[in-house]
């Protein structure tokens, strides 16, 4: 490559200097080797790239050379797709809107390759997408000047904002506004957590998993229809037993709602839609029965007599009504489904926990500094234009400064919807433990994510780090929900890290916490049908109540079509969705108590609310696609135990509620 290096030096080096820095020379030689391109042709492409990016602003340095390398790769891939389009239908056309049939165009693209693909001026359907696929996207110059991202990053961002180029400007993380601003606080009367003078050397929390983690190591993508139908049927039958006991109903009152009868009955079933397309509504709503109670039949529901209620697909309901005509089941009442009891402990157990936290019996204030400091965040953990994981580094610094007892990280961490991870077009970090050409995603994770976590564990040795996977995690081979934990051995995480499943129910000291990485709140928001006036006007409080009433982390069935979810940052723009394994749906059920805290990350606005004595938290995402996000800090103060409660335990072994929602201060903070 000596002659090639000399030729590159003559073409690319500044006038009067025939030498290029070794790192820039290596990038240019890499382009030549990858694409079998002569140096002169590479120089022509560089001139074209400089004109496109602004010749006065484009200087040949290491960052620009890497951006130029990615631009060359993208242009060559675009040319390849353009040639292949004449031989086959573009796969992305499957998800696009059909073109206007009134204009006598080919609706299903069957004439592609036989007619001109040049879009007409003003085309708003297929033509616009076709143009975007084969032309270099226009990126505002301010984005180029402030960011070293390539044109492919701009294209990815364009998919995320539906082609609105006004939203493409990504503010560098260091220049973010309102960092550290508290946007919402629950229980503001409690004092914020005060960090100790020195971080504790031993953990102040005892972590226990109430989930059988071994059951999550099932074989995905091996679901049998017979098993799935039995799981769905069993759930209906279990609810029938709960409703019968709660309302003291006789066996004879239950019946098949699909059978014609003049007698009023109580029926249990699953809310479903009579069509596979479109949103559930009052006209399309049907009640799906189990094989035991209704032979698995579906019957249309007439809900005119109900004053107020909320329904969603997959919801298990108990209804009272009559099917006089045999055509539909007319509902007169929706019976209440009993809630699980709240979590409780013996006073002696709480006394032992308070003693471990250093709380003496004469401390009567709830705002003592001995409270637990719990920090939580949900992925993504880096913006779409880089893999620097800057928000994660700042979060670890905050955990270090405040001596956090628990740091809860909910996936996705290595997000398969991140444009750089999805394309594989990113630089492998330098490390002596592996060769760049043999690096795996686990190696990259160990450097980009493992390093700040290991540094935090060294600074705060008493911290407990909990990692919850997501179906969007590229590192978790378990592709379906419910999902097994990360493989800790491969990721180089510190000993303080604990791998748990998705979903999971854990206890931190006495506090029971339910966690699921799946965005069920957004799905419920989209599919919920409100009959009459909603009982709860605040939708952010109403949606979590469905999870509490249904006793499940994901009570919706079927999941929302992924083409209807918010667009991903990948080239296709299709979200991962909910790869649900119905055979193991029972792993998502709650246990015998309501959790004290329910953590449900969502694309909806972050919030902290008390719903049916459950503290529900949506921490938001630590990083949005084009900017910083939010995290949550929770200070949990000790439970005050009275002498009467201790006496009651000695006489009858009485349990007392934890009442975390009264003694926890929750702050949602901008990173």
């Amino acid at each position: 490559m000596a002659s090639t290096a000399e030729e590159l030096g003559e073409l690319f080096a500044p006038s009067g200097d025939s030498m290029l820095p070794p790192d820039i020379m290596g990038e240019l030689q890499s382009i030549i080797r990858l694409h079998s391109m002569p140096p002169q042709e590479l120089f022509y492409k560089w001139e074209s790239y400089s004109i496109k990016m602004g010749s006065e602003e484009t200087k040949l340095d290491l960052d620009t050379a890497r951006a130029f390398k990615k631009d060359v790769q993208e242009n060559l891939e675009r040319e390849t797709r353009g040639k292949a389009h004449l031989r086959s239908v573009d796969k992305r056309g499957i998800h696009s809107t059909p073109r206007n049939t009134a204009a006598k165009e080919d609706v299903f693209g069957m004439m592609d390759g036989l007619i001109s693909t040049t879009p007409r001026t003003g085309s708003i359907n297929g033509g616009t997408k076709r143009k975007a696929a084969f032309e270099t996207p226009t990126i505002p110059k301010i984005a180029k000047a402030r960011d070293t991202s390539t044109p492919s990053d701009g294209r990815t961002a364009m998919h995320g904002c539906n082609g609105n180029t006004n939203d493409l400007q990504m503010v560098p993380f260091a220049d973010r506004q309102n960092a550290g601003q508290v946007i919402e606080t629950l229980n503001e009367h409690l004092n914020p957590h005060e960090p100790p003078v020195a971080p504790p050397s031993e953990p102040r929390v005892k972590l226990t998993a109430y989930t059988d983690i071994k059951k999550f190591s099932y074989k995905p993508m091996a679901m049998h229809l017979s098993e799935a139908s039995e799981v769905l049927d069993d759930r209906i039958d279990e609810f029938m037993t709960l409703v019968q006991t709660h309302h003291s109903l006789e066996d004879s009152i239950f019946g098949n709602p699909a059978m014609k009868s003049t007698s009023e009955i109580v029926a249990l079933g699953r809310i479903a839609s009579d069509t596979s397309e479109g949103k559930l509504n009052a006209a399309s709503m049907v009640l799906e029965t189990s094989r035991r109670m209704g032979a698995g039949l579906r019957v249309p529901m007439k809900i005119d007599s109900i004053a107020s209620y909320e329904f969603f697909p997959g919801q298990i309901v108990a209804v009272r009504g009559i099917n006089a005509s045999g055509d539909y089941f007319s509902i007169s009442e929706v019976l209440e489904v009993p809630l699980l009891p709240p979590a409780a402990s013996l006073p002696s157990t709480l006394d032992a926990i308070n003693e471990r936290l250093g709380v003496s019996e004469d401390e009567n204030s709830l705002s003592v500094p001995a409270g637990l400091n719990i920090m939580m965040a949900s992925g993504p953990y880096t913006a779409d234009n880089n893999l620097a994981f800057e928000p994660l580094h700042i979060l670890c610094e905050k955990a270090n400064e405040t001596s956090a007892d628990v740091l809860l990280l909910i996936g996705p961490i290595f997000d398969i919807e991140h444009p750089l991870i999805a394309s594989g077009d990113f630089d492998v970090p330098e490390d002596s433990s592996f060769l760049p050409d043999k690096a795996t995603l686990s190696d990259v994770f160990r450097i980009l994510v493992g390093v700040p976590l290991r540094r935090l564990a060294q600074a705060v040795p008493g911290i407990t780090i909990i990692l919850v996977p997501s179906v969007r995690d590229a590192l978790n081979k378990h592709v379906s929900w419910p999902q097994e934990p990360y493989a800790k051995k491969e990721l180089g995480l510190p000993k303080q890290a604990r791998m748990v499943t998705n979903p999971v129910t854990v206890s931190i000291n006495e506090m029971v916490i339910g966690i699921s990485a799946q965005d069920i709140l957004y799905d419920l928001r989209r599919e919920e049908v409100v009959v009459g006036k909603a009982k709860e006007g605040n939708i952010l409080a109403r949606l979590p109540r469905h999870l509490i009433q249904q006793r499940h982390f994901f009570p919706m069935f079927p999941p929302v079509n992924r083409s209807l979810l918010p667009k991903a940052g990948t080239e296709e723009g299709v979200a991962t969705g909910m790869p649900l394994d119905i055979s193991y749906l029972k792993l998502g059920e709650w246990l015998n108590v309501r959790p004290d805290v329910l953590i449900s990350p969502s694309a909806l606005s972050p919030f902290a609310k008390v719903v049916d004595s459950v503290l529900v938290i949506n921490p938001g995402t630590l990083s949005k696609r084009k900017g910083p996000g939010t995290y949550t800090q929770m200070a949990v103060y000790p439970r005050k135990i009275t002498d009467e409660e201790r006496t009651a335990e000695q006489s009858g072994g009485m349990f007392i509620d934890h009442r975390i929602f009264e003694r926890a201060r929750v702050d949602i903070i901008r990173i």
Side-chain angles (χ1 to χ4, degrees):
M1 294 295 293
S3 59
T4 302
E6 293 175 358
E7 191 172 355
L8 288 172
E10 295 174 358
L11 292 170
F12 288 87
S15 57
D17 187 1
S18 60
M19 296 296 293
L20 284 173
D23 50 357
I24 298 177
M25 177 67 73
E27 292 292 339
L28 298 177
Q29 290 177 335
S30 174
I31 300 174
I32 291 176
R33 287 195 303 269
L34 287 173
H35 305 293
S36 301
M37 184 184 302
Q40 187 66 49
E41 182 179 351
L42 181 64
F43 181 70
Y44 291 151
K45 291 185 179 295
W46 166 252
E47 288 185 325
S48 176
Y49 177 78
S50 299
I51 294 172
K52 180 175 65 176
M53 301 298 289
S55 55
E56 295 89 10
E57 304 170 2
T58 307
K59 306 295 182 182
L60 184 59
D61 53 24
L62 181 58
D63 291 335
T64 310
R66 290 174 174 173
F68 171 54
K69 178 180 178 181
K70 295 179 181 179
D71 183 69
V72 171
Q73 175 71 26
E74 180 186 329
N75 288 333
L76 292 176
E77 290 177 353
R78 188 182 297 114
E79 293 173 3
T80 302
R81 290 197 301 267
K83 294 176 183 178
H85 180 73
L86 298 177
R87 299 189 298 270
S88 62
V89 178
D90 189 348
K91 293 183 178 179
R92 286 177 294 169
I94 297 174
H95 303 288
S96 62
T97 304
R99 289 166 286 189
N100 189 359
T101 56
K104 297 183 179 179
E105 289 185 333
D106 176 28
V107 176
F108 299 104
M110 297 175 65
M111 300 297 290
D112 285 347
L114 302 179
I115 60 176
S116 173
T117 59
T118 304
R120 298 193 314 273
T121 303
S123 174
I124 61 173
N125 293 321
T128 301
K129 286 197 173 184
R130 194 177 302 279
K131 182 177 180 180
F134 293 96
E135 291 187 3
T136 303
T138 303
I139 308 175
K141 284 194 175 184
I142 186 172
K144 302 171 190 174
R146 299 174 69 178
D147 194 1
T148 58
S149 61
T150 70
S152 62
D153 296 331
R155 179 186 61 189
T156 301
M158 188 175 298
H159 279 291
C161 60
N162 296 326
N164 185 1
T165 56
N166 295 329
D167 294 333
L168 289 178
Q169 302 172 12
M170 289 191 181
V171 178
F173 183 78
D175 298 336
R176 67 195 185 280
Q177 301 294 320
N178 303 319
Q181 178 187 11
V182 178
I183 62 176
E184 183 174 340
T185 299
L186 180 70
N187 290 334
E188 195 171 1
H189 63 281
L190 297 176
N191 293 334
H193 175 78
E194 297 181 8
V197 178
S201 58
E202 296 293 333
R204 301 172 67 230
V205 301
K206 179 180 180 182
L207 182 68
T208 305
Y210 287 135
T211 301
D212 191 348
I213 294 180
K214 293 182 180 179
K215 291 184 178 179
F216 286 76
S217 300
Y218 62 89
K219 184 178 181 182
M221 302 178 67
M223 183 171 58
H224 299 284
L225 291 179
S226 59
E227 295 178 358
S229 63
E230 289 176 2
V231 170
L232 295 175
D233 273 1
D234 291 344
R235 182 162 168 78
I236 297 176
D237 295 337
E238 289 171 2
F239 267 71
M240 189 186 76
T241 304
L242 295 173
V243 171
Q244 183 176 10
T245 303
H246 180 71
H247 293 277
S248 301
L249 300 175
E250 299 292 336
D251 292 341
S252 58
I253 194 65
F254 292 93
N256 181 0
M259 289 182 60
K260 181 177 179 180
S261 174
T262 57
S263 301
E264 187 178 64
I265 63 169
V266 172
L268 271 90
R270 178 179 290 105
I271 298 295
S273 176
D274 63 359
T275 176
S276 59
E277 299 178 357
K279 186 179 182 293
L280 180 71
N281 55 63
S284 64
M285 198 179 305
V286 297
L287 185 67
E288 180 182 88
T289 62
S290 67
R291 283 175 288 190
R292 173 188 169 191
M293 295 302 300
L297 296 176
R298 288 183 170 187
V299 57
M301 297 170 58
K302 186 177 180 181
I303 55 178
D304 300 341
S305 302
I306 304 176
S308 174
Y309 211 80
E310 300 90 32
F311 296 105
F312 63 89
Q315 181 182 13
I316 308 298
V317 294
V319 291
R320 190 190 301 271
I322 188 172
N323 187 351
S325 64
D327 297 328
Y328 57 85
F329 189 66
S330 180
I331 299 175
S332 59
E333 181 186 3
V334 179
L335 301 182
E336 178 185 358
V337 176
L339 301 180
L340 285 168
S345 299
L346 290 170
S348 58
T349 303
L350 297 177
D351 278 333
I353 293 173
N354 291 344
E355 183 179 357
R356 187 166 68 247
L357 294 176
V359 181
S360 60
E361 293 184 2
D362 58 349
E363 288 179 315
N364 297 321
S365 174
L366 292 178
S367 56
V368 293
L372 290 178
N373 178 21
I374 300 175
M375 300 179 67
M376 61 189 75
S378 174
Y381 290 86
T382 187
D384 272 7
N385 63 341
N386 67 78
L387 288 177
F389 286 89
E390 294 168 297
L392 178 62
H393 284 263
I394 297 299
L395 181 67
C396 291
E397 291 178 8
K398 295 295 182 182
N400 181 15
E401 293 172 2
T402 60
S403 297
D405 295 294
V406 177
L407 176 61
L408 174 61
L409 301 178
I410 305 173
I413 299 179
F414 255 42
D415 190 0
I416 58 176
E417 293 185 5
H418 192 288
L420 299 182
I421 294 177
S423 64
D425 191 9
F426 60 88
D427 295 323
V428 177
E430 296 182 0
D431 190 84
S432 59
S433 62
F434 58 85
L435 298 175
D437 57 341
K438 295 183 179 180
T440 64
L441 279 180
S442 297
D443 296 325
V444 179
F445 182 99
R446 190 164 59 249
I447 302 302
L448 298 182
V449 179
V451 167
L453 294 183
R454 290 195 296 270
R455 189 181 299 123
L456 172 63
Q458 292 176 356
V460 189
I463 195 172
T464 299
I465 304 173
I466 305 174
L467 285 87
V468 183
S470 165
V471 293
R472 286 167 49 184
D473 267 305
L475 278 170
N476 198 310
K477 299 177 182 179
H478 207 270
V479 297
S480 58
W481 191 97
Q483 188 179 23
E484 69 178 359
Y486 293 107
K488 181 179 179 180
K489 183 178 180 181
E490 303 173 359
L491 305 181
L493 295 171
K495 66 178 182 179
Q496 292 91 333
R498 300 290 184 267
M499 310 289 106
V500 296
T501 58
N502 173 32
V504 67
T505 301
V506 299
S507 68
I508 296 177
N509 290 347
E510 82 280 9
M511 180 171 45
V512 179
I513 302 179
I515 312 166
S516 176
Q518 196 63 28
D519 190 354
I520 179 60
L521 299 182
Y522 181 90
D523 292 357
L524 288 172
R525 172 67 180 88
R526 190 186 184 284
E527 295 295 328
E528 184 190 40
V529 177
V530 178
V531 178
K533 184 179 180 181
K535 298 177 182 178
E536 173 58 64
N538 188 328
I539 190 171
L540 296 182
R542 188 172 72 241
L543 297 178
R545 180 167 285 114
H546 292 312
L547 278 65
I548 298 172
Q549 292 176 342
Q550 295 290 297
R551 309 174 173 206
H552 204 282
F553 286 106
F554 198 91
M556 178 179 290
F557 182 81
V560 176
N561 190 318
R562 65 193 191 118
S563 64
L564 303 176
L565 296 174
K567 292 191 180 238
T570 58
E571 184 176 352
E572 293 79 9
V574 181
T576 305
M578 176 57 161
L580 180 64
D581 195 313
I582 306 172
S583 300
Y584 294 90
L585 195 63
K586 198 171 183 62
L587 294 178
E589 291 182 353
W590 291 5
L591 302 177
N592 54 353
V593 296
R594 267 178 286 165
D596 295 308
V597 182
L598 174 61
I599 303 174
S600 184
S602 174
L604 302 178
S605 300
F607 65 86
K609 296 187 179 299
V610 179
V611 182
D612 292 329
S613 302
V614 177
L615 175 54
V616 184
I617 300 175
N618 168 22
T621 58
L622 190 65
S623 176
K624 299 178 182 179
R625 294 182 54 192
K626 297 184 288 293
T630 59
Y631 70 96
T632 297
Q633 185 168 16
M634 181 169 66
V636 184
Y637 294 105
R639 172 72 153 85
K640 180 182 177 182
I641 306 171
T642 64
D643 293 335
E644 291 78 7
E645 290 172 334
R646 294 188 179 94
T647 304
E649 179 189 1
Q650 295 174 0
S651 59
M654 185 188 75
F655 285 77
I656 58 175
D657 297 346
H658 297 157
R659 307 187 71 82
I660 297 294
F661 61 90
E662 291 182 345
R663 53 190 179 97
R665 176 189 171 110
V666 182
D667 294 304
I668 298 177
I669 309 170
R670 297 186 190 274
I671 187 64

